[in-house]
Amino acid sequence: MDGDGYAGWTRRFEEERERRRAQGDPDWARGAVLHRAVWAGVQRFQVGEDGDGANLVAKAEEAGDADYARAVRLFVAEEQNHARLLALLLAAGGRPTLSGHWSDTVFVRLRRLLGLRTELLVLMIAEVVALRYYRALRDGTDDALTSEVAGRILADERRHVPFHCERLHDSLAELPAVTRRPVMALWRLLLLAATLVVAADHGAGLRRLGVGRRRFTADVMASSAEVTGAVLAPRPGARTGGGGE
């Protein structure tokens, strides 16, 4: 965690943006060949990555921290780049993008229900699931272009999760101490439900990538423990133990 708050995250996002510009795009001319079940998964995740992020940006700006709002805008730009990369990967394989998918519609509606805290909690469900999916996509195919695209997106997602964890840590610290663990317990239950839906919906593609439904679900839930620990970690100097909560 940076000692200068969200200004540090802004710098990281900006440095990564410049690195991407210097690196350039993958060689799309190589083309991509995947099983149709894997292509279906790529199409659905492309829909999930697409969007203007206006609602999240607006809530971040309302939070009153200019550095955080700037970092959120850069995060949204990375997500839009993921959608672009996946669309170009689909094109390289002669596959169209989807106009929408019911799962993305549900997530978007849930995210917009309340304030920034709720939006981030729902967003983190998608981010944690995405971590495992893109790792499977990177490692589970012998198609070089697909592995490269998935690897690039995975590297970004591994930065996104701690970024959101830091904000959620600050946000939950504003709640009464007795409510924080129940909030994260509920979050893990919602994550489990979402993961089971993804595992069922993407089962055929996941098997082609060498990851069965059960393993996918177990891996996602294992990673959620680290997220919960980061969000609930006591602030420096906070009293722990003693009289209990």
Side-chain angles (χ1 to χ4, degrees):
M1 186 180 299
D2 292 285
D4 53 354
Y6 295 104
W9 281 109
T10 297
R11 285 196 300 274
R12 289 185 66 184
F13 279 116
E14 289 174 338
E15 289 167 359
E16 192 61 26
R17 181 184 60 193
E18 295 308 310
R19 188 197 64 78
R20 283 196 305 272
R21 286 176 178 171
Q23 181 185 30
D25 266 7
D27 180 10
W28 304 113
R30 287 180 290 176
V33 178
L34 299 170
H35 187 273
R36 64 180 179 276
V38 179
W39 279 127
V42 173
Q43 287 173 315
R44 292 167 194 167
F45 270 82
Q46 193 277 333
V47 172
E49 298 280 6
D50 203 10
D52 61 12
N55 198 61
L56 176 60
V57 169
K59 290 177 182 178
E61 289 176 345
E62 290 171 5
D65 185 327
D67 288 327
Y68 176 66
R70 170 65 175 163
V72 165
R73 286 193 291 271
L74 291 166
F75 156 74
V76 169
E78 285 195 357
E79 292 288 292
Q80 291 171 338
N81 185 56
H82 296 173
R84 183 186 70 87
L85 290 173
L86 292 174
L88 289 170
L89 176 63
L90 288 164
R95 301 280 171 158
T97 58
L98 302 179
S99 59
H101 191 259
W102 68 266
S103 58
D104 182 61
T105 301
V106 170
F107 266 99
V108 169
R109 288 180 178 175
L110 284 173
R111 283 169 53 184
R112 293 178 177 176
L113 281 176
L114 296 171
L116 179 60
R117 182 186 299 131
T118 301
E119 174 125 5
L120 290 179
L121 286 167
V122 177
L123 176 61
M124 277 289 283
I125 290 174
E127 294 283 276
V128 173
V129 171
L131 277 177
R132 187 61 186 96
Y133 175 76
Y134 288 121
R135 179 156 65 93
L137 189 62
R138 182 196 64 182
D139 298 342
T141 177
D142 57 4
D143 183 82
L145 181 59
T146 300
S147 293
E148 181 180 351
V149 170
R152 291 189 185 201
I153 296 175
L154 180 62
D156 288 343
E157 297 291 0
R158 284 175 170 165
R159 284 183 294 102
H160 294 173
V161 168
F163 169 60
H164 296 311
C165 279
E166 183 168 339
R167 182 65 194 189
L168 283 169
H169 177 273
D170 294 344
S171 182
L172 263 67
E174 299 170 358
L175 298 176
V178 71
T179 67
R180 297 170 198 162
R181 289 190 181 278
V183 166
M184 292 309 295
L186 176 59
W187 177 79
R188 292 190 76 186
L189 284 175
L190 293 173
L191 174 63
L192 175 60
T195 304
L196 290 171
V197 170
V198 171
D201 196 30
H202 295 257
L206 290 171
R207 283 194 299 273
R208 286 282 173 176
L209 296 173
V211 182
R213 290 187 177 98
R214 187 172 299 177
R215 179 182 165 193
F216 181 83
T217 302
D219 287 350
V220 171
M221 296 311 297
S223 69
S224 73
E226 185 176 348
V227 170
T228 301
V231 172
L232 294 177
R235 286 181 166 180
R239 295 179 60 185
T240 57
E245 294 182 355

